[in-house]
Amino acid sequence: MLYLLGLISAGTYFTFASVQGDYGLFHRVRIDAEAQALTKERDRLAAEIAALQNKTRRISDDYLDLDLLDQQARDVLGLVRADEVVLR
């Protein structure tokens, strides 16, 4: 009887540990969800970096995009052309 009770308690403990322990099923699901969220964030940041690298290349000395330069001068510095009228 004592042997049977020991086996049942050991089985219960191992079942509980496999579901809710440090290496259990719930912990694994949480880690997988966090990995998916981090992968999405990594992809978003990679796209943002690519866009910034493109803008940096377009304003560099080797390749100057005049439209982007004009847009940045207007947005950042508030410049306007001499033949334009500014309405506020």
Side-chain angles (χ1 to χ4, degrees):
M1 184 70 170
L2 187 59
Y3 180 71
L4 184 60
L5 185 61
L7 285 176
I8 290 173
S9 64
T12 304
Y13 169 74
F14 287 126
T15 302
F16 178 78
S18 68
V19 173
Q20 290 197 4
D22 290 338
Y23 301 103
L25 184 63
F26 291 150
H27 194 259
R28 172 66 182 211
V29 169
R30 189 174 344 123
I31 287 174
D32 288 342
E34 185 177 345
Q36 285 180 342
L38 290 174
T39 302
K40 286 180 184 178
E41 183 176 357
R42 182 200 62 199
D43 293 342
R44 183 188 61 81
L45 290 173
E48 185 178 336
I49 287 171
L52 289 174
Q53 285 175 340
N54 184 25
K55 276 189 177 181
T56 302
R57 185 182 68 79
R58 288 170 51 196
I59 295 182
S60 69
D61 292 334
D62 297 333
Y63 177 84
L64 185 59
D65 186 359
L66 295 177
D67 291 332
L68 181 63
L69 182 63
D70 183 50
Q71 175 190 354
Q72 291 296 321
R74 290 170 183 270
D75 292 344
V76 176
L77 301 175
L79 297 178
V80 293
R81 293 186 194 145
D83 61 340
E84 292 179 338
V85 177
V86 178
L87 301 175
R88 291 189 185 224

